[in-house]
Amino acid sequence: MTNTVMILGMAAVTVFVKAALFVLGDRVVFPPLLKQALGFVPVTVLTAIIVPMILSPNGEGLELTWTNPQLVGALAAVLACVVTGKQLLTIAVALGVFFTWQLGVLA
Amino acid sequence: MTRRSSFAAGARDTLPMVIGAAPFGVIFGTLVAAGPLAAWQGQLMSLSVYAGSSQFIALGLVAGHAGLAVIWLTTLIVNLRHALYAATLLPHVAHLPARWRWTLGFFLTDETFAVMAGYYARHPRAPLGHWYFLGSCLSMYANWQFWTLVGLLFGAAFPQLQSLGLDFAMVATFIAIVVPQLASLPNFAAAVAAGAVAYLGQDVPYKLGLMAAVVAGVAVGMALQRWRSGGLEAGRREEEAA
């Protein structure tokens, strides 16, 4: 019972955090400075999520070596993206290099 | 573009995220099956809370006999970043009927935010963008429910799931979304700052290292943008004076 209450409370908190601004909709007006700041959110948050996954995939310090498949795959992705500018191709190249590295080169 | 094709495109473009999240769904289900929660409560958590990292943290807190208030407060802090996502996407959904805004808000995740940030960067005024949004949301949600259930039922059959590295699909997609936006100097500097702080702060609890990284990145980006526009204005004044 307590655990069910805990879960439903977690759900209420999470839905509030996620949906409150959407639900307010047009009633929310951001000042220009905040609008400008929000423009930087995608590029910063997405980078912040993946950089630790690339640089220390095992959570055990910096792995700046060729034996780190995440790092090799990420470099391939950046290169493919800069050269081709195509999203799907970038993902395909990155996954190809990553799994080749992980299952072929390092296995 | 029809509603259906827009919805399908959203679901399709979320596929790498779906692959990347699958092992974590299984791992979550497996941990529930091995812990104090009943199996149906694990599924209820995936269905109603639907926020991966806070679900994992809650399992740890339950095992450590933390009180309800601690668990709820932790959930709030860990999920704060979603408010940032909502604020960023708000201009694209504010015009929709309330039922749409409730629905899309409920389904917001890191992965769907990434997909939608990329989509709106390419199509800032797509009239059927919310159908694309919904397609992304529902494929991610169905995927999370399915793999939670698989983990609850057969979790023990998948040892070492994490070592497959399927979450790299998410990394690859995020790179494909971020790199085209790095052409502007303020964006580039913001990303470098955010990446550096995120790396240094990865062991900070409650995902606060991530929030610090965003704050640092945004600050650097804003400072550069102001400095550049200040420089442009000064240049213009000089031209006028000459």
Side-chain angles (χ1 to χ4, degrees):
Chain A
M1 181 59 205
T2 320
N3 285 336
T4 306
V5 172
M6 171 203 78
I7 291 165
L8 294 178
M10 283 177 69
V13 168
T14 308
V15 172
F16 173 77
V17 172
K18 287 180 176 181
L21 282 172
F22 273 16
V23 170
L24 288 171
D26 283 328
R27 277 164 287 179
V28 185
V29 181
F30 294 127
L33 197 66
L34 186 57
K35 269 191 206 158
Q36 201 186 5
L38 288 172
F40 285 102
V41 168
V43 78
T44 51
V45 78
L46 301 183
T47 306
I49 289 173
I50 60 173
V51 162
M53 295 169 77
I54 295 168
L55 295 184
S56 56
N58 301 303
E60 291 159 7
L62 198 58
E63 292 186 36
L64 280 182
T65 76
W66 64 275
T67 55
N68 174 356
Q70 271 84 356
L71 180 62
V72 176
L75 291 175
V78 172
L79 196 67
C81 196
V82 169
V83 172
T84 71
K86 291 195 166 56
Q87 197 175 19
L88 218 54
L89 188 69
T90 299
I91 298 166
V93 167
L95 288 175
V97 169
F98 173 79
F99 283 112
T100 307
W101 215 260
Q102 169 140 305
L103 305 171
V105 179
L106 298 176
Chain B
M1 248 336 183
T2 63
R3 289 171 175 187
R4 186 192 297 238
S5 68
S6 190
F7 179 92
R12 183 198 60 214
D13 291 351
T14 309
L15 200 60
M17 311 295 192
V18 161
I19 296 168
F24 294 98
V26 178
I27 294 167
F28 175 73
T30 311
L31 289 178
V32 168
L37 292 189
W40 67 270
Q41 289 173 324
Q43 193 72 53
L44 177 67
M45 204 192 272
S46 279
L47 283 165
S48 67
V49 181
Y50 185 49
S53 38
S54 62
Q55 291 180 225
F56 277 100
I57 292 169
L59 289 188
L61 291 173
V62 171
H65 305 289
L68 281 181
V70 171
I71 295 178
W72 291 340
L73 187 64
T74 304
T75 305
L76 176 71
I77 297 169
V78 172
N79 288 328
L80 265 185
R81 66 189 189 285
H82 293 92
L84 214 52
Y85 300 158
T88 310
L89 297 178
L90 182 61
H92 301 284
V93 304
H95 67 285
L96 297 170
R99 63 177 192 282
W100 269 97
R101 285 178 279 126
W102 274 106
T103 307
L104 297 179
F106 172 80
F107 287 121
L108 210 49
T109 58
D110 296 311
E111 290 86 353
T112 282
F113 172 70
V115 170
M116 292 319 297
Y119 176 80
Y120 286 132
R122 280 174 281 127
H123 312 276
R125 264 176 282 284
L128 293 175
H130 52 299
W131 285 94
Y132 183 101
F133 200 155
L134 188 67
S136 173
C137 287
L138 290 188
S139 66
M140 204 66 206
Y141 188 70
N143 179 62
W144 188 245
Q145 304 316 321
F146 177 75
W147 292 110
T148 298
L149 186 63
V150 169
L152 286 168
L153 297 176
F154 315 108
F158 303 97
Q160 305 272 301
L161 202 59
Q162 223 154 355
S163 66
L164 284 178
L166 290 179
D167 54 329
F168 187 74
M170 191 175 107
V171 175
T173 312
F174 280 25
I175 290 174
I177 293 166
V178 166
V179 168
Q181 301 181 37
L182 297 182
S184 101
L185 181 67
N187 271 4
F188 183 79
V192 170
V197 174
Y199 173 75
L200 296 172
Q202 60 183 312
D203 295 325
V204 177
Y206 310 130
K207 294 228 169 205
L208 288 177
L210 183 67
M211 295 297 277
V214 173
V215 170
V218 168
V220 167
M222 296 278 283
L224 265 179
Q225 207 167 53
R226 311 217 110 202
W227 174 70
R228 281 178 105 198
S229 59
L232 285 178
E233 272 164 38
R236 210 173 300 129
R237 276 197 299 276
E238 275 168 32
E239 274 171 34
E240 280 166 16

